[in-house]
Amino acid sequence: MNLKNLPKKLTQYEQIHLLTHTDLDGIGPSIVLDAFGINHNPYYVETRKIDEVVMEKIAEQNDQELIIITDLSVNEETAAAIDLVNNHPNGKYIILIDHHASAIYLNDFIWAEVKPEVNGIKMSATTLIFKSLLDASFEVSPLQRTTNEDDEVVIIQPEYSAKEKNEMLTRLTHFVENIRLYDTWDWHALSIQEAADLNTVFYARRRHEFAKDRMHYILNGELFTEEDANYLHFSKEELRKLLKKKSKQMNIIENYQLLGHDTPVNIGVVETDSFFSELGNHLAEKFEEEIDCVFIISLVKNKVSLRSIGSTVDLSKIAKNYNGGGHPNASGCDLSALGPDFIQAIFNAQK
């Protein structure tokens, strides 16, 4: 979605609501909007809830309000509802910016932009909205939040010099690229540990604290705080222990037929509530000769993270059949959507 094609200029909307995912690439667009001086109300939404939340926001949407959806896709019914709003704008409008291959069909709508790749480079939602704002001639001019005597949050936008803007743009570009590297797993291929560390810190911190400290980096040049550095030292040892432990605990479901794939596959299954991507890719590589993909189950969250290497299995097509979505090598879905047959297959594998 080219922001220049909005019915009115981005800054002319009285309210901007951002509906975005709960992961690092979900908070990225909110930080980018703040860095460009665009005030907005962020809402962090799980993939399985997005259609419900979008329909609620449509019902509440007032004139002169813009809704931006990032790092999430909607189903056909919700897309039709968005199309109806945008065909009769009355000061209202909704746009969607995503990078998941499972959402390509939304490019049929003028208000959506789904780009898994640009010039052979894998995209993230954070990268796409960053590029859109640059293309629309926005300058880095960060909002700053302070508290007044009544303990109310006050938003200010200081005047920045050209030199300061250039320095902040450099830092913001670096931050956006780190998110892209992690979300696409390019960090692993290129051995850029800083991107993985950023994701580790994101899950260790409260969301608003993470955003505040990254904005401090854009303003002043410190990507990781002392608290972040201490946690990273601790977490790397915990990750080493987890990889060793879960490698021994993994079960293999052989010749299991999944929706979205033509032939039966061998699935490595393990349960954890942390380090999903790191564990999934570690197991996919270690057991490459024995399994086609890895399913990382979180019983607490009722979620399954799907990981693979190579091009044998397109996980985005599989996840879409189980109320999820994502990329060919990294996707996610609800555990309950896989049904009792999958749970029974796990128990049989354990036996």
Side-chain angles (χ1 to χ4, degrees), residues 47-58:
T47 302
R48 66 181 181 275
K49 291 281 189 179
I50 184 59
D51 292 292
E52 176 185 341
V53 172
V54 170
M55 295 302 286
E56 289 175 355
K57 290 298 178 185
I58 287 176

Side-chain angles (χ1 to χ4, degrees), residues 7 46 68 78 110 130 151 158 161 209 216 258 282 308 341 348:
E46 292 285 357
I68 303 174
T78 306
I110 193 172
F130 173 71
D151 205 30
S161 68
E209 291 177 346
H216 184 269
L258 290 161
H282 172 76
S308 69
D341 289 346
N348 292 341

Side-chain angles (χ1 to χ4, degrees), residues 115-183:
K115 290 184 177 180
E117 291 188 0
V118 174
N119 297 326
I121 298 173
K122 298 174 187 175
M123 288 291 102
S124 70
T126 304
T127 303
L128 290 173
I129 196 167
F130 173 71
K131 287 179 175 293
S132 294
L133 289 165
L134 287 178
D135 291 344
S137 301
F138 279 85
E139 292 185 342
V140 174
S141 185
L143 297 174
Q144 295 188 32
R145 290 172 171 82
T146 60
T147 305
N148 62 18
E149 295 177 354
D150 297 322
D151 205 30
E152 297 172 333
V153 176
V154 178
I155 298 174
I156 59 174
Q157 190 169 32
E159 290 289 332
Y160 299 101
S161 68
K163 180 181 177 182
E164 287 174 324
K165 288 182 179 180
N166 285 333
E167 290 173 345
M168 290 187 292
L169 176 59
T170 298
R171 296 184 197 119
L172 178 60
T173 302
H174 181 71
F175 171 73
V176 168
E177 176 61 2
N178 267 330
I179 291 180
R180 190 200 69 79
L181 286 166
Y182 183 80
D183 202 66

Side-chain angles (χ1 to χ4, degrees), residues 25-85:
D25 193 31
I27 197 171
S30 181
I31 295 173
V32 167
L33 286 170
D34 268 353
F36 279 99
I38 299 166
N39 191 25
H40 62 285
N41 305 307
Y43 304 88
Y44 297 95
V45 186
E46 292 285 357
T47 302
R48 66 181 181 275
K49 291 281 189 179
I50 184 59
D51 292 292
E52 176 185 341
V53 172
V54 170
M55 295 302 286
E56 289 175 355
K57 290 298 178 185
I58 287 176
E60 299 170 356
Q61 190 178 12
N62 297 316
D63 290 348
Q64 315 306 321
E65 288 189 350
L66 173 69
I67 295 175
I68 303 174
I69 304 167
T70 57
D71 202 33
L72 293 162
S73 62
V74 296
N75 62 26
E76 293 179 1
E77 181 182 354
T78 306
I82 293 173
D83 216 32
L84 188 62
V85 171

